Amino acid sequence: EAGVAQSPRYKIIEKRQSVAFWCNPISGHATLYWYQQILGQGPKLLIQFQNNGVVDDSQLPKDRFSAERLKGVDSTLKIQPAKLEDSAVYLCASSPGGQGGENIEKLFFGSGTQLSVL
Amino acid sequence: SQQGEEDPQALSIQEGENATMNCSYKTSINNLQWYRQNSGRGLVHLILIRSNEREKHSGRLRVTLDTSKKSSSLLITASRAADTASYFCATSPWGFKTIFGAGTRLFVKA
């Protein structure tokens, strides 16, 4: 079974520039998450999709961050314009979701995109 | 805001010793999960315990959950150098979110 794919692996940009990250979840997984992980901290949930609908985006800085999940499969996260404090690893995760089963809430993570804003 | 808080923040032990990490959380939960993160990698799921369970085992891992104290512990027995990683608890309040704590950094010396 293929895992969660993310690209790019690394990205270096200057402040005020734009950047986009891409995520391809595990096939059939209904729920997709974007987390931001600042060095030395735990992952912070930015946005959660159930199929192509947003379940939670309460911690997404909507003045600069946007995310979409096309056709309930792939997702992109965009930052425009970037700030120095956006330097972090951006993790995408997916879970089966749905009803019943042992692992519906288990999250499968990609390797992340490390963003450096200079 | 973070739901779970791990303790200790960092732990250094010798290979073969047991490692215990604790997690406290604030609100009622549906389940609690533990994840491991090796440096520069994504998180890997270790174990999930539901709110109506008190203890669960998986290989060298033992997790306990005390909902009255809103706390959980992760025990790794007979630790190995390969267990060196950060360990995070994640809680799911009744709803859909999965919220992570700040993590415990474990270093196992060979």
Side-chain angles (χ1 to χ4, degrees):
Chain A
E1 173 181 81
V4 175
Q6 286 189 250
S7 68
R9 187 75 176 89
Y10 303 94
K11 190 73 178 178
I12 301 173
I13 62 172
E14 295 188 350
K15 60 183 179 183
R16 292 187 290 272
Q17 286 187 324
S18 302
V19 65
F21 313 125
W22 173 81
C23 174
N24 186 12
I26 292 173
S27 178
H29 278 195
T31 310
L32 185 146
Y33 313 77
W34 283 103
Y35 286 88
Q36 179 194 58
Q37 186 176 25
I38 292 172
L39 186 65
Q41 298 182 17
K44 170 187 160 185
L45 180 66
L46 293 176
I47 189 167
Q48 180 176 336
F49 292 94
Q50 181 77 11
N51 297 309
N52 60 352
V54 175
V55 172
D56 188 282
D57 63 357
S58 57
Q59 295 201 83
L60 186 74
K62 298 180 186 65
D63 58 335
R64 299 185 299 107
F65 286 64
S66 64
E68 60 180 2
R69 189 179 185 193
L70 301 174
K71 300 180 181 178
V73 182
D74 291 9
S75 178
T76 56
L77 176 69
K78 297 179 182 178
I79 307 175
Q80 180 180 11
K83 293 185 176 180
L84 297 177
E85 58 259 37
D86 298 332
S87 294
V89 175
Y90 290 84
L91 295 163
C92 179
S94 68
S95 64
Q99 298 293 325
E102 172 67 19
N103 293 319
I104 58 171
E105 295 128 317
K106 176 180 170 181
L107 271 65
F108 295 80
F109 281 84
S111 295
T113 296
Q114 186 171 327
L115 174 67
S116 296
V117 182
L118 307 178
Chain B
S1 62
Q2 288 184 316
Q3 160 82 317
E5 296 291 336
E6 287 91 341
D7 171 62
Q9 290 186 330
L11 181 60
S12 181
I13 59 174
Q14 291 290 138
E15 206 167 29
E17 294 181 338
N18 294 342
T20 300
M21 288 158 265
N22 303 297
C23 170
S24 59
Y25 56 92
K26 299 173 184 173
T27 64
S28 297
I29 59 170
N30 178 26
N31 66 65
L32 186 145
Q33 304 179 54
W34 286 91
Y35 287 79
R36 184 187 73 224
Q37 185 178 36
N38 291 89
S39 180
R41 309 285 293 181
L43 282 77
V44 174
H45 181 269
L46 295 175
I47 197 165
L48 180 151
I49 187 165
R50 299 201 179 279
S51 59
N52 62 353
E53 297 176 308
R54 292 297 169 259
E55 187 171 311
K56 204 161 183 180
H57 296 256
S58 177
R60 294 184 296 113
L61 305 180
R62 172 178 168 255
V63 169
T64 61
L65 179 64
D66 187 335
T67 53
S68 66
K69 295 181 180 179
K70 292 187 170 60
S71 68
S72 173
S73 68
L74 170 67
L75 169 67
I76 304 174
T77 60
S79 62
R80 306 166 181 168
D83 294 329
T84 294
S86 293
Y87 292 82
F88 297 91
C89 71
T91 52
S92 294
W94 294 94
F96 297 96
K97 288 186 190 183
T98 299
I99 304 170
F100 287 82
T104 291
R105 279 127 195 97
L106 174 66
F107 181 67
V108 181
K109 293 176 280 189

